Amino acid sequence: MVNIKKNENYTIDITGMTHEGQGVGRIENFTVFTERAIVGETVEIKIIKINKSYAVGKLIKVIKPSSNRTEPFCHAFKRCGGCNLQHMSYKAQLDFKTNTVKDSLKRIGKIEDAVIHDTIGMSAESGQEGKNYRNKAQYPVGNAKDGLAVGFYAPRSHDIVDNPTCGIQNEISDRVRNIVKEFIADNGISVYDEASNRGLVRHVMTRVGFKTGEVMVVIVINGSDFPKKKAFIEALTSRINAIKSIFLNVNTQKTNVILGDENIKLYGEDTITDYIGRFRFKISPLSFFQINAVQTEVLYEKALKYADLQGSEVVFDLYCGIGTISLFLSQKAKRVYGVEVVEEAIRDAEKNAELNSVDNVEFIAGEAEKVIPELYKQGVKADVVVVDPPRKGCDEVLLDTLVKMQPERIVYVSCNPSTLARDLKYLSENGFRTVEVQPVDMFPHTTHVECVVRLDRKHS
Ligand code: SAH
């Protein structure tokens, strides 16, 4: 039995990092995880939890800092937990992400000979190295110990921390948040209490068009109306010209889901507009839209390059969401089929294709693992397949059908290196070669990393 005691302080060397960004060290060969400790550092920690196989330490003092350590730019960093890499320089964050991908592909995927590129980050010009990059904000509203709070949930809890500025949100979102908070306070409007399911205002949501600057404000309410609507609209629009649309969203359920189904327009347009590349999108309160518009374009351009289309190909875009990748592919393909399980997203995808006068795409609502085997049975085959699944990766039934269908190429877009590695292993064992992997930083200062991968069919 190792001799580690809870609530005692220890000095340890950090010799590795987990994919979640924690530093890994040892006390007498017993593994200890510590948030905000960087590989190469010597740190003083306090043990806050001991399990059978590992302990968790809280960082007390950095005794020997890493040269990659930097001062977090957001004042809320320590209390928030939304960004867990802000204590590392941006270059070190990108290296960390590249290593995460390399490690997963080698360990889980047994992929040895693919080229794994360095992670593409946000340049200083495009997003101040990943500051203020988010185009959608959702601030919870409630009463905290010190009164009205509009900000974020404290880590692993639903206690709301009041916070006027967030380092990764668009600055306009924070300004909207501040005006709404002031209006609620000045007019004594009630705010939501989770425990009793009472009180009116639950969330303030904003969406900002990155290219257009257009702003949508959505107030999520536990009720069907908002007091002093005229004055509220005036308070917002007189101070922020870019506001094009204000909605109420009704959510009276006792639930963690932020938005309800019903929207009531208070002011302006039904949608705001934004662009990815040359394509135009209309975004409504409930639409899915990529959070980081700058990096989305980088990712999609890579996907298009890896698809290597000559103009005569039939292409499948599986897990297509609102059809953004499908539209990108349509520029160079004969025909694109987009498949997505959420029906509203398919309706948006069809509208987006029309809005952009794209007529060589077709969208199908359904699960990829059901739709594709069915299409295959009917004799519809793809020359190139793009997949962009959620974190759990692709269903094996789908992969199996792709193996039978034998497209020339598969482009795999992934938000989870572990499931990506698992699926690449399967495809490698069944006739495809992983050629190139490009990690892209879509969520700077968090541990998330997106990858786009090119697989070619082996011709033996
Ligand atoms: N390619 C899109 C969206 C990717 S997110 C974009 O770049 O914007 C993953 C999408 O997969 C989500 O829209 C989700 O609704 C959808 N999805 C999840 N499971 C699915 C399944 N089994 N079949 C088809 N689509 C699915």
Side-chain angles (χ1 to χ4, degrees):
M1 188 62 200
V2 276
N3 192 22
I4 303 180
K5 291 204 183 76
K6 201 172 158 180
N7 294 324
E8 294 247 321
N9 287 17
Y10 297 84
T11 297
I12 61 170
D13 293 330
I14 302 299
T15 52
M17 286 183 80
T18 66
H19 290 187
E20 288 73 43
Q22 296 153 325
V24 186
R26 285 193 166 68
I27 301 172
E28 295 178 22
N29 264 335
F30 196 72
T31 305
V32 183
F33 299 113
T34 304
E35 272 179 17
R36 295 168 194 153
I38 305 174
V39 64
E41 293 189 322
T42 303
V43 293
E44 184 184 339
I45 58 161
K46 179 192 230 159
I47 295 293
I48 51 172
K49 191 167 152 188
I50 306 177
N51 278 348
K52 257 206 190 117
S53 55
Y54 68 91
V56 179
K58 181 174 176 224
L59 184 64
I60 301 296
K61 199 164 97 193
V62 180
I63 296 167
K64 191 185 115 218
S66 159
S67 58
N68 291 327
R69 182 168 281 278
T70 192
E71 196 51 44
F73 58 86
C74 183
H75 71 102
F77 173 66
K78 283 203 174 138
R79 294 176 300 150
C80 174
C83 297
N84 33 20
L85 296 182
Q86 251 190 51
H87 58 296
M88 287 164 67
S89 72
Y90 191 51
K91 167 77 172 64
Q93 292 183 22
L94 297 177
D95 291 344
F96 165 84
K97 293 185 188 196
T98 309
N99 286 335
T100 300
V101 173
K102 283 187 174 161
D103 180 57
S104 294
L105 260 51
K106 192 167 169 199
R107 210 165 33 84
I108 306 168
K110 313 288 176 217
I111 306 287
E112 300 285 352
D113 55 351
V115 180
I116 302 175
H117 296 284
D118 288 343
T119 306
I120 302 177
M122 295 189 81
S123 65
E125 307 84 67
S126 69
Q128 305 158 303
E129 294 208 322
K131 291 179 192 149
N132 309 110
Y133 62 85
R134 286 186 62 98
N135 60 12
K136 179 171 100 173
Q138 290 166 321
Y139 305 94
V141 182
N143 275 317
K145 269 192 253 90
D146 307 329
L148 176 61
V150 183
F152 56 80
Y153 293 119
R156 294 173 287 277
S157 91
H158 265 210
D159 297 339
I160 301 169
V161 179
D162 191 53
N163 183 39
T165 58
C166 164
I168 59 169
Q169 287 299 353
N170 193 297
E171 281 144 349
I172 282 206
S173 295
D174 283 337
R175 281 177 61 204
V176 168
R177 173 256 173 225
N178 295 339
I179 295 168
V180 176
K181 184 186 171 194
E182 190 183 295
F183 193 86
I184 291 172
D186 288 353
N187 293 282
I189 297 170
S190 71
V191 294
Y192 188 62
D193 172 52
E194 251 182 17
S196 64
N197 198 31
R198 290 220 175 121
L200 187 65
V201 185
R202 296 175 74 130
H203 270 87
V204 179
M205 174 168 114
T206 60
R207 311 187 79 147
V208 184
F210 178 79
K211 296 263 173 72
T212 58
E214 294 180 6
V215 179
M216 173 180 278
V217 179
V218 182
I219 308 295
V220 185
I221 53 169
N222 175 35
S224 52
D225 206 0
F226 196 77
K228 305 189 181 171
K229 287 194 279 273
K230 244 187 165 165
F232 181 62
I233 293 164
E234 176 66 20
L236 280 168
T237 53
S238 66
R239 283 151 82 181
I240 305 178
N241 267 337
I243 293 178
K244 295 285 175 253
S245 169
I246 305 175
F247 273 92
L248 297 175
N249 173 274
V250 177
N251 184 358
T252 55
Q253 302 293 314
K254 199 170 170 164
T255 167
N256 283 342
V257 178
I258 295 176
L259 295 170
D261 296 333
E262 189 193 346
N263 295 305
I264 303 166
K265 190 167 77 175
L266 288 188
Y267 169 84
E269 311 290 328
D270 290 346
T271 56
I272 57 167
T273 299
D274 203 8
Y275 290 84
I276 301 177
R278 67 178 179 85
F279 295 106
R280 190 171 157 216
F281 297 92
K282 286 191 172 179
I283 305 160
S284 58
L286 298 181
S287 305
F288 171 85
F289 199 68
Q290 291 279 354
I291 294 297
N292 182 337
V294 175
Q295 292 299 85
T296 297
E297 209 165 310
V298 172
L299 186 80
Y300 288 1
E301 285 294 350
K302 261 304 164 217
L304 186 59
K305 180 169 167 249
Y306 284 178
D308 202 1
L309 300 172
Q310 309 302 317
S312 59
E313 294 91 345
V314 172
V315 183
F316 288 171
D317 175 19
L318 310 183
Y319 311 88
C320 72
I322 58 166
T324 34
I325 296 180
S326 312
L327 293 187
F328 258 67
L329 296 166
S330 75
Q331 304 174 94
K332 299 222 167 129
K334 184 169 125 209
R335 184 146 202 90
V336 181
Y337 292 90
V339 179
E340 159 65 45
V341 73
V342 176
E343 289 191 17
E344 300 91 81
I346 288 290
R347 280 199 287 277
D348 279 345
E350 282 162 351
K351 275 192 228 152
N352 290 331
E354 204 179 304
L355 186 69
N356 290 285
S357 310
V358 172
D359 54 14
N360 59 340
V361 298
E362 188 176 317
F363 294 103
I364 304 168
E367 288 172 319
E369 59 272 25
K370 298 224 171 94
V371 173
I372 298 307
E374 195 50 46
L375 283 181
Y376 180 63
K377 244 195 253 163
Q378 293 167 15
V380 183
K381 287 206 241 167
D383 304 297
V384 176
V385 176
V386 178
V387 296
D388 183 7
R391 291 190 66 75
K392 68 175 196 253
C394 294
D395 193 290
E396 206 169 298
V397 174
L398 171 68
L399 294 179
D400 201 39
T401 312
L402 297 185
V403 166
K404 279 192 234 140
M405 188 185 288
Q406 299 203 327
E408 279 305 312
R409 260 180 305 294
I410 298 175
V411 178
Y412 196 131
V413 182
S414 159
C415 57
N416 182 347
S418 310
T419 55
L420 169 69
R422 179 199 68 200
D423 292 349
L424 292 184
K425 180 163 187 276
Y426 185 88
L427 291 167
S428 308
E429 288 165 354
N430 290 283
F432 289 90
R433 188 168 70 87
T434 302
V435 182
E436 265 183 274
V437 181
Q438 178 62 67
V440 178
D441 191 20
M442 301 280 277
F443 302 101
H445 314 295
T446 76
T447 52
H448 294 290
V449 55
E450 198 94 3
C451 286
V452 50
V453 181
R454 172 178 173 152
L455 295 114
D456 285 352
R457 181 150 70 89
K458 292 180 197 160
H459 292 271
S460 48

